[in-house]
Amino acid sequence: MTETISPSGSTLSEAEAFLAAHPEIEAFDIVLHDANGIGRGKIIRRHELLSFYKNGRHLPISILGLDICGEDVHETGLIWDQGDGDLRAWPIPGTLKPLHNTQPPRGEVFMSMYDLEGHKMTSDPRHALQAQIDALAAMDLHPAGAFELEFFLLANERDANGKMVPARDVLDGRPSRKTEVYSVDHLHGMLPLFSDIYAAAEKSGIKAETMISEYAPGQYELTLHYREDVMQAADDLMRLKRIVRAQARAHGVTACFMAKPNEDYAGSGMHFHVSLQDGAGQNVFMEAAEGQWNDKILHALGGLRATMGESMLVFAPHANSWRRFSSQSYAPVSPTWGVNNRSVALRIPAGDIRARRVEHRPAGVDANPYLVAATVLAGIRKGLNEHLDPGPETTGNGYEGGADAPPMPVDWRSAIEAAKASDFLKDALGPDMHRTFTAIKASEYARVARTVSEVDFDLYLHTV
């Protein structure tokens, strides 16, 4: 077969060098992320890797039109409208990594989708993010950032009432049903698992940093090193979720990335820290004197505030996502901004002005980081281009503010309708990704809406 030049920029020499450096690896996970951020792909054998780098890998176009259950969503236009033909996936440069704690030893590589002529398949979330990075680059602005990963560690079995319960410590088997927020001693019981997570992250080139016991039983937060490349930041988050899930499974517990697995406690967010650098590498959000906010950070906040309502489907894409939003739950309920204030949606963290950034707090950990980053960057770009005013800073309790804020959807269905009608979101994601994403969400909503749940029987079986 004739070798084709990779449209992703991947090279055969990268694969050859990796194989030479890792003679022990027998197979590779090749992973494409769909609209929901789910890794789709194949496991290939060692001898197939060079062919993948030479010629890409044929995959059906429908792989990007699947719902959360992996079923076709015909309304995406990616199934029979296209004859469910093959496209070609190509490896992403720099994403070929060894996996930790696998038997037999395996590696992993991310891939992205192109048509057979090498053009970007624009229902691929990576391409949506790259388009926004390129649009800012045309303004001589370059986004940097990092995501925070919150998650639960749960027992593999539910309790007698069908409820999920926190995992026992993997070190000594002790149960924990308390909110051990910021408890260092509590972290010690999970040290064998955390050590494997850090080892896997290091092997993958991810700078995983602080581990925190969070604000619910069994909940943790892991922070990531700030990246000058936002695409790298999104890759880090996707890879780290796979690492946490795999290492938790190896230690006999379940890693949960639902936004709200426990109705009595706070849910899990995926806060996105973002700043912009100019061509000289200067942080353009940095003020001349501390607290004297410059126009760029204010306009960025204005754009994010103005577009948050129509973008909420990206930040809260599932039925369960909406259970995370309630007053005093550490999840924002209106598009407010403030300084060193965790009750607002858009927070300017305290600290060195050279590290000035916006912490975007609405997204749950169940969101797709490529689409979250694309939407946030588009909002910032809109704010800069239109010189949008963010309004007054929220001080004190942000849950009581926001009366003058742009409207926000109140539930999943209204978020879907707002997203469908949004010209901003169509620009942020691109028309194809917008159509694909909103069609998938509408299909998933219909599935949930027609499902008769245990709650229905509990409330109505003997009462109506």
Side-chain angles (χ1 to χ4, degrees), residues 374-394:
T375 304
V376 168
L377 295 185
I380 290 173
R381 185 164 59 88
K382 178 180 175 70
L384 294 175
N385 287 335
E386 299 180 17
H387 302 99
L388 297 181
D389 183 349
E393 173 192 346
T394 296

Side-chain angles (χ1 to χ4, degrees), residues 51-311:
S51 175
F52 177 38
Y53 271 76
K54 286 179 182 177
N55 303 300
R57 190 84 177 201
H58 285 106
L59 290 173
I61 190 172
S62 58
I63 198 171
L64 290 173
L66 303 177
D67 67 10
I68 195 73
C69 299
E71 296 185 7
D72 292 340
V73 177
H74 300 285
E75 292 78 7
T76 62
L78 301 179
I79 318 299
W80 300 123
D81 290 4
Q82 306 285 338
D84 198 18
D86 276 350
L87 299 182
R88 190 174 291 179
W90 288 90
I92 303 301
T95 65
L96 180 57
K97 305 291 183 182
L99 292 174
H100 175 70
N101 199 21
T102 55
Q103 280 301 325
R106 296 199 325 278
E108 175 185 70
V109 61
F110 289 175
M111 54 185 175
S112 200
M113 192 76 92
Y114 298 80
D115 67 20
L116 298 182
E117 287 73 44
H119 303 113
K120 292 178 180 178
M121 200 287 173
T122 46
S123 287
D124 182 328
R126 284 186 70 94
H127 295 323
L129 175 52
Q130 189 61 54
Q132 292 303 323
I133 294 172
D134 292 344
L136 283 168
M139 301 166 62
D140 197 28
L141 295 171
H142 310 279
F147 289 90
E148 297 175 6
L149 181 68
E150 293 181 355
F151 58 95
F152 282 80
L153 294 176
L154 303 175
N156 291 337
E157 296 79 27
R158 304 186 190 192
D159 67 14
N161 297 315
K163 300 286 188 180
M164 302 299 297
V165 295
R168 292 175 175 267
D169 290 354
V170 299
L171 191 61
D172 54 22
R174 288 193 302 132
S176 177
R177 299 294 180 91
K178 298 183 294 183
T179 299
E180 304 275 6
V181 63
Y182 279 82
S183 169
V184 176
D185 289 342
H186 176 64
L187 294 175
H188 292 171
M190 290 290 183
L191 278 182
L193 168 54
F194 295 154
S195 294
D196 271 330
I197 290 171
Y198 281 117
E202 182 177 5
K203 188 175 283 190
S204 294
I206 297 173
K207 294 182 178 179
E209 298 185 329
T210 306
M211 182 71 74
I212 302 166
S213 179
E214 263 291 354
Y215 201 66
Q219 188 185 34
Y220 302 89
E221 179 186 297
L222 185 55
T223 63
L224 286 159
H225 186 72
Y226 211 74
R227 294 283 195 179
E228 292 188 359
D229 177 358
V230 162
M231 184 70 78
Q232 182 68 66
D235 283 345
D236 284 352
L237 193 284
M238 295 304 284
R239 199 183 296 274
L240 190 59
K241 285 180 74 172
R242 287 175 57 81
I243 286 171
V244 171
R245 183 176 283 117
Q247 300 311 314
R249 181 180 295 169
H251 285 271
V253 301
T254 296
C256 173
F257 299 108
M258 291 172 62
K260 185 79 166 178
N262 189 325
E263 63 265 28
D264 296 323
Y265 294 94
S268 292
M270 189 178 71
H271 303 160
F272 178 37
H273 295 252
V274 61
S275 60
L276 296 176
Q277 297 178 346
D278 61 21
Q282 182 79 16
N283 182 356
V284 302
F285 287 168
M286 181 177 68
E287 65 267 31
E290 187 166 358
Q292 297 178 8
W293 315 117
N294 66 33
D295 286 345
K296 282 191 168 56
I297 196 168
L298 290 175
H299 293 328
L301 290 166
L304 293 172
R305 187 169 181 262
T307 58
M308 191 175 295
E310 58 199 301
S311 304

Side-chain angles (χ1 to χ4, degrees), residues 309-313 408-409 412-423 425 434 438:
E310 58 199 301
S311 304
M312 279 303 298
L313 185 63
M408 293 274 282
W412 192 26
R413 180 177 180 176
S414 56
I416 292 170
E417 295 306 315
K420 283 182 177 179
S422 173
D423 289 334
L425 198 60
H434 177 266
T438 55

Side-chain angles (χ1 to χ4, degrees), residues 18-19 22-30 42-49 52 96-100 102-109 242:
F18 186 91
L19 291 174
H22 297 280
E24 76 284 2
I25 290 182
E26 297 183 14
F28 296 88
D29 297 356
I30 60 172
K42 302 181 179 183
I43 299 177
I44 62 173
R45 304 303 296 170
R46 179 185 178 90
H47 70 270
E48 297 178 272
L49 185 69
F52 177 38
L96 180 57
K97 305 291 183 182
L99 292 174
H100 175 70
T102 55
Q103 280 301 325
R106 296 199 325 278
E108 175 185 70
V109 61
R242 287 175 57 81

Side-chain angles (χ1 to χ4, degrees), residues 317-376:
H318 307 293
N320 179 259
S321 309
W322 290 85
R323 298 190 172 96
R324 176 172 161 257
F325 298 102
S326 60
S327 181
Q328 301 182 40
S329 64
Y330 289 94
V333 294
S334 62
T336 50
W337 76 275
V339 182
N340 195 23
N341 185 338
R342 286 183 170 83
S343 67
V344 297
L346 303 167
R347 173 177 175 251
I348 300 178
D352 190 333
I353 65 171
R354 292 172 296 181
R356 189 63 71 219
R357 63 194 185 276
V358 174
E359 180 187 4
H360 185 273
R361 296 174 59 83
V365 74
D366 56 344
N368 182 332
Y370 300 112
L371 300 186
V372 169
T375 304
V376 168

